[in-house]
Amino acid sequence: MRTNDPRATLRLRHPRGTTLWLAALCLAVPLSVCETVARTDLPQRWGLVPSVGSSHRQFEIALRRIEAYVADEGRLDCVFLGSSVVHRGIDPAALGGAYRKHTGRTIRCFNFGIQGVSVATSSRLAELLARRYHPRLLVFGSTARDYSPYAQHQVKSQVATVPWVRYYTGAVSPKGWLAAHSAAFRYYLTYRNWMRADYARAMATRAEEDRYTTREGYDTRRGGRLDVRGNPNPRTQGHYFGVLRDFTIVPEARDGLRRIARLQGSGIQVALLEMPITPTTIPFFPNGERDYAQFVDVLTTTARDTGVLLWRTFGVAPVPFDGWRDWGHLNTKGARVFSEWLGGQMAAMPDVSVAAEGPGNRS
Amino acid sequence: VSLTSVEFALFVTAVLAVYYLLPGRAQCGWLLLASYVFYGTWDWRFPVALAGLTAANFVIGRRLRVARQARRPLLWLGIGINLAALAGCKYGDVLGAALQPLLASAAHTDGDVLLRLALPVGLSFQVVQAIGYLVDSSRGQVAAEDDLLSFALYLAYFPKLLAGPIERPRPFIQQLRAARVVDNAALARSGAQILVGLVRKLAIGDSLAAMIPDAAFTTPASVAGVGGWLVVYAFALYNDFAGYTSLVRGVSGLFGIELSPNFASPFFARNLTEFWNRWHMSLSFWLRDYVYLPLSRALLRRNLSRYNVPNLVAPPLAAMLACGLWHGPGLNMVLWGALHGVYLVGERVWTLARPSRPLPQRPWWRHALGMGRVFALVVLALIPFRMPLPIAAEFVAALGTARGWGGLDPRALACIVPAVWIDWVQARGRDETVFLRWSPMARAAALAVALLVLFLAAQRDVDAPFVYQGF
């Protein structure tokens, strides 16, 4: 730029930048104070909670719980990952009880099921969990619905694209860095939407969900009872089954599953879990059992190719008829029974509660 | 590309980098190219429409300057073409709905033949500028030489393309022909304008808009304190548009081109006439010069008396009705314009009936009363501005109940108080960049606060386009 040319448009003298330096100083002092205070236990005593900047409420709660759990327990033996089917279907306390009964040992499990996540997004979360919490066993639970086109983009922007998540999975950005390293910034993120009309309601809902989430990430509210021996009501449950009408396995989900399974090589044992479905679900696939077999085939092939463990549950896991909250999710009774069964299965594995080096059981 | 996005900042930086390297005339060509590219990022058809509008007006403008006879029909033809373009795009849905039964019966179809045309962003602003150009050309007020590049840039210049300010052809084109200088002072001024604009838009306007429950303006009877939300809306709208104007004026200043101001602390106006000299000034001055004054002159030629009813009533009413129609085709906008017209007529009648001391000589309490009265009237007129007539009626009914008047949300006060403070500082200093005259420490503190506020505002999950881009 020709700053000295009298014909030039831009004619700048070298600025001293006094205002900028003073402004930087004005910012540095109060921000340092805020950061120092945020790193003490004062904010928690004031009832403030941190956030990573996601608009997915339950994801935020799950993250806070797992941070606290790992801080309390010192280590994580196993973590369950998946969508709401996992979140509502696995009670780590019940599972731990069954495991102890079979082996006499304690297992520290956490339920990191996140409502609405796709398989691809789960693969990003699996990477995050592996890098940050180093669980001995990572169990990815899914149903065929998670592989359908509909399920792929539900909450992607609320979870997978959050800068903090991206930062811990290798995509560094200023905002991700700040969320990872500044305690004050994380506290601000919780209250960043203070101006929104729905703020008070959102905070109240968050507080309620927070209250009902156990320290192992399981939501104890999911009660209700539905006898699945009857036919589903198309009016109230049409949405759930409607998703299956154009069922196909999308490549994005298949790739996501493979990425999860490949974490096996990074010092973590990975297991795939076919989550229970009601017997009445199969007829809702366009090609019935053939479609469901396609889903099972994806699980089986991935498990075989990557050497991870696969737990099949269809027709095996003892879920009572009144163990369902709705046509897709277990209620607390179903979750307890299923978790106890799963605890028994895990007890048959090489001890994940002490050391889990080496390959898992093959399917 | 949104004006508050990082992409826009990068775009401006890239355009500036090349711009500063080019000589004067080439700079205009580069700006025109950049403006069309920028417009194309919204929709590829928009630059095509703008090019058509530019060509048509340039040809007619040339004819107007050289025509000895038939100048008036030619001018009206030009105005008609512009208005038809605007009406076709802006009122297409309304016209289509009205014509649908006719077209359906003529074509023996099921009636799905709506005249739906895409409304190019900023077309309303481009059309009034084009009309201004034609009128000025017919009056011989625009330089006679043929300069398509300057004229095209006058209509397309990207900082003002989306929502003004509405520029006059002569001063703008003169700036294009003169040497432009961006020195330290201009850079600081532009920076301050950009910063104030961003604070107004992102930290104040968007925050206030996000606070308002949707139901307040859709089912007002179901929301308590709708009166308070209307006040919040008034500040949200003002800060949104004033923020936009400050931002684009700052960006334009980086190119050495000064754009007209649009706002001068309008909520401090002590009467309605003063309000319209402070609110969306580039539009209100345009209406004054191209609607109000010509009509006044025509009426005064018939009857010179100031007390003649048509002289009193017709010019302000016509100008404000035109203002309403310019904003949108709905009856609610017509009512909004008519209300302001009636306000202005009432004020003129009152002034004629009871002449009072000039504004500067009045005591402070009369200023305060005047401001309160103007604010209340302006806010009430926003009811039809914000919502269609049936809902506006419900809103007025809700205001008539005790439930309609709750206190202001404290969160809103946290935004309104700084907004009023910025206005007060700017009005007191008679300069929107008065902050630059502060001591270095005060200036630095203001800069630090502005940067922090903008950083914090950028973290929330709120994304709102500029309100006036919709017009």
Side-chain angles (χ1 to χ4, degrees):
Chain A
M1 289 172 210
R2 298 166 297 171
T3 53
N4 296 319
D5 184 348
R7 290 166 303 170
T9 299
L10 190 63
R11 296 180 203 169
L12 296 182
R13 282 174 288 107
H14 192 268
R16 279 178 295 170
T18 316
T19 308
L20 290 178
W21 283 113
L22 283 173
L25 199 67
C26 288
L27 279 174
V29 174
L31 290 182
S32 303
V33 172
C34 286
E35 184 62 27
T36 308
V37 173
R39 285 171 187 267
T40 67
D41 63 347
L42 275 176
Q44 284 181 10
R45 276 201 263 155
W46 295 334
L48 303 179
V49 286
S51 159
V52 298
S54 166
S55 55
H56 194 298
R57 228 170 10 236
Q58 190 247 321
F59 172 64
E60 288 278 356
I61 293 170
L63 267 180
R64 278 204 299 280
R65 284 288 190 278
I66 198 171
E67 288 278 338
Y69 189 83
V70 173
D72 285 351
E73 298 290 336
R75 72 163 200 261
L76 194 58
D77 295 324
C78 76
V79 62
F80 295 95
L81 179 63
S83 62
S84 57
V85 176
V86 169
H87 180 230
R88 297 168 193 180
I90 298 174
D91 178 357
L95 184 144
Y99 184 87
R100 194 163 44 246
K101 202 168 132 191
H102 283 92
T103 64
R105 288 188 296 269
T106 302
I107 188 167
R108 294 162 181 82
C109 287
F110 190 90
N111 184 335
F112 203 79
I114 305 296
Q115 291 162 18
V117 295
S118 64
V119 182
T121 303
S122 292
S123 72
R124 185 68 69 87
L125 293 178
E127 209 181 319
L128 169 81
L129 294 171
R131 285 191 189 196
R132 194 162 164 76
Y133 307 109
H134 315 290
R136 295 174 191 280
L137 172 68
L138 190 147
V139 181
F140 176 64
S142 59
T143 65
R145 189 174 181 269
D146 296 326
Y147 297 77
S148 66
Y150 166 81
Q152 298 316 304
H153 302 288
Q154 288 185 68
V155 299
K156 186 178 177 184
S157 62
Q158 293 175 301
V159 176
T161 59
V162 172
W164 182 88
V165 174
R166 289 170 58 76
Y167 179 81
Y168 277 109
T169 51
V172 178
S173 66
K175 196 173 166 184
W177 181 89
L178 205 57
H181 297 288
S182 167
F185 185 58
R186 282 198 298 276
Y187 280 112
Y188 174 73
L189 285 177
T190 304
Y191 308 98
R192 68 191 185 280
N193 289 322
W194 60 271
M195 78 297 295
R196 279 175 50 156
D198 60 355
Y199 177 72
R201 203 180 50 216
M203 292 303 273
T205 313
R206 184 190 64 88
E208 192 190 350
E209 282 194 19
D210 204 52
R211 211 167 31 248
Y212 287 103
T213 305
T214 65
R215 66 186 287 269
E216 299 97 353
Y218 176 63
D219 188 339
T220 53
R221 276 180 310 170
R222 310 296 179 189
R225 199 163 62 179
L226 174 82
D227 190 334
V228 294
R229 284 171 296 188
N231 284 321
N233 181 343
R235 193 172 55 80
T236 54
Q237 295 290 333
H239 171 69
Y240 181 77
F241 291 114
V243 172
L244 298 179
R245 248 177 249 135
D246 60 348
F247 174 81
T248 52
I249 304 267
V250 297
E252 200 181 340
R254 193 193 297 260
D255 295 344
L257 185 70
R258 282 193 173 272
R259 277 198 298 278
I260 293 171
R262 284 203 192 104
L263 287 172
Q264 171 102 333
S266 58
I268 294 167
Q269 189 169 352
V270 176
L272 305 182
L273 171 64
E274 174 198 19
M275 289 300 288
I277 54 168
T278 60
T280 37
T281 303
I282 300 286
F284 285 91
F285 285 96
N287 302 303
E289 285 181 10
R290 213 147 44 123
D291 280 338
Y292 195 74
Q294 204 187 336
F295 157 66
V296 173
D297 184 52
V298 169
L299 291 183
T300 315
T301 312
T302 307
R304 190 185 58 232
D305 293 350
T306 54
V308 304
L309 183 70
L310 168 64
W311 279 306
R312 291 285 322 269
T313 60
F314 190 67
V316 180
V319 178
F321 285 119
D322 60 350
W324 294 87
R325 177 181 184 266
D326 54 37
W327 296 93
H329 303 95
L330 297 174
N331 61 18
T332 43
K333 180 181 178 184
R336 181 172 47 76
V337 173
F338 176 65
S339 302
E340 284 169 355
W341 174 83
L342 194 58
Q345 300 299 305
M346 286 173 68
M349 290 176 66
D351 187 5
V352 290
S353 66
V354 177
E357 304 301 327
N361 296 345
R362 284 170 188 263
S363 59
Chain B
V1 176
S2 161
L3 299 187
T4 52
S5 64
V6 175
E7 289 83 359
F8 182 70
L10 293 174
F11 173 77
V12 170
T13 308
V15 175
L16 275 174
V18 177
Y19 178 81
Y20 289 143
L21 293 172
L22 295 172
R25 184 76 177 157
Q27 284 180 333
C28 293
W30 172 244
L31 276 182
L32 184 64
L33 178 67
S35 299
Y36 270 78
V37 168
F38 172 72
Y39 207 25
T41 62
W42 289 81
D43 189 317
W44 65 268
R45 290 168 299 181
F46 292 175
V48 177
L50 179 59
L53 192 76
T54 304
N57 280 289
F58 183 71
V59 169
I60 295 169
R62 261 179 74 179
R63 289 285 172 96
L64 276 172
R65 283 197 299 272
V66 296
R68 290 278 172 267
Q69 295 165 346
R71 186 175 278 181
R72 189 172 274 278
L74 199 57
L75 173 64
W76 281 109
L77 174 72
I79 293 173
I81 288 172
N82 281 295
L83 291 180
L86 183 63
C89 295
K90 196 158 190 165
Y91 311 141
D93 284 359
V94 177
L95 288 175
L99 292 175
Q100 187 171 336
L102 266 177
L103 293 169
S105 63
H108 302 291
T109 66
D110 58 359
D112 189 19
V113 282
L114 278 180
L115 296 173
R116 247 174 231 283
L117 298 171
L119 171 65
V121 183
L123 182 70
S124 311
F125 294 88
Q126 294 149 21
V127 160
V128 289
Q129 289 178 111
I131 290 174
Y133 174 77
L134 293 180
V135 174
D136 288 1
S137 294
S138 74
R139 292 172 181 168
Q141 291 174 352
V142 178
E145 64 249 59
D146 297 324
D147 185 357
L148 179 59
L149 177 60
S150 296
F151 176 66
L153 190 53
Y154 162 66
L155 284 188
Y157 182 47
F158 78 88
K160 68 172 182 66
L161 183 60
L162 303 179
I166 296 163
E167 290 298 322
R168 299 304 174 82
R170 194 165 59 172
F172 187 85
I173 291 174
Q174 273 172 358
Q175 288 193 74
L176 297 184
R177 288 180 181 152
R180 293 171 290 279
V181 175
V182 180
D183 54 15
N184 287 48
L187 199 63
R189 191 174 167 77
S190 290
Q193 284 172 325
I194 290 171
L195 208 58
V196 169
L198 289 173
V199 168
R200 277 197 188 276
K201 162 66 181 163
L202 298 176
I204 299 173
D206 283 359
S207 299
L208 288 170
M211 274 172 218
I212 304 171
D214 289 340
F217 299 143
T218 52
T219 51
S222 67
V223 177
V226 285
W229 290 123
L230 192 62
V231 171
V232 172
Y233 175 69
F235 278 100
L237 178 70
Y238 165 54
N239 281 284
D240 184 281
F241 198 18
Y244 161 84
T245 306
S246 187
L247 174 64
V248 298
R249 291 187 74 218
V251 169
S252 185
L254 298 175
F255 293 93
I257 296 172
E258 192 178 341
L259 295 180
S260 307
N262 251 347
F263 295 93
S265 310
F267 292 149
F268 293 157
R270 292 154 292 186
N271 60 47
L272 265 304
T273 309
E274 193 186 13
F275 174 81
W276 279 105
N277 285 330
R278 288 164 168 256
W279 176 278
H280 203 173
M281 290 145 71
S282 64
L283 176 65
S284 59
F285 293 166
W286 188 95
L287 289 167
R288 179 194 65 194
D289 293 347
Y290 297 107
V291 180
Y292 182 95
L293 289 178
L295 187 57
S296 279
R297 278 194 287 268
L299 290 168
L300 283 170
R301 274 197 287 273
R302 292 184 180 191
N303 186 338
L304 265 175
S305 169
R306 288 164 65 200
Y307 296 93
N308 182 37
V309 173
N311 292 5
L312 272 174
V313 173
L317 207 54
M320 296 321 295
L321 280 173
C323 186
L325 280 170
W326 178 85
H327 278 83
L331 279 176
N332 56 324
M333 285 300 182
V334 176
L335 177 60
W336 172 74
L339 270 175
H340 272 283
V342 169
Y343 289 167
L344 290 172
V345 170
E347 207 166 74
R348 291 184 80 190
V349 170
W350 180 260
T351 312
L352 283 175
R354 294 190 57 179
S356 56
R357 279 187 281 175
L359 276 174
Q361 294 171 17
R362 292 181 196 168
W364 68 267
W365 60 268
R366 282 198 64 188
H367 288 313
L369 271 182
M371 281 181 211
R373 180 176 56 87
V374 169
F375 184 74
L377 290 174
V378 167
V379 168
L380 283 175
L382 283 176
I383 298 172
F385 183 89
R386 176 59 183 81
M387 53 203 109
L389 285 183
I391 299 173
E394 278 179 43
F395 195 94
V396 172
L399 278 182
T401 64
R403 195 164 179 265
W405 292 100
L408 259 185
D409 189 318
R411 294 176 303 163
L413 283 176
C415 294
I416 290 174
V417 170
V420 173
W421 178 78
I422 293 172
D423 268 6
W424 180 73
V425 170
Q426 289 180 329
R428 197 160 155 249
R430 295 175 189 279
D431 180 6
E432 63 185 316
T433 55
V434 62
F435 315 98
L436 295 174
R437 300 204 302 261
W438 288 0
S439 69
M441 195 59 220
R443 214 162 49 206
L447 175 63
V449 170
L451 291 176
L452 184 62
V453 160
L454 285 176
F455 173 75
L456 295 179
Q459 309 310 319
R460 67 197 170 187
D461 305 321
V462 169
D463 186 23
F466 287 103
V467 175
Y468 263 72
Q469 272 173 206
F471 297 125

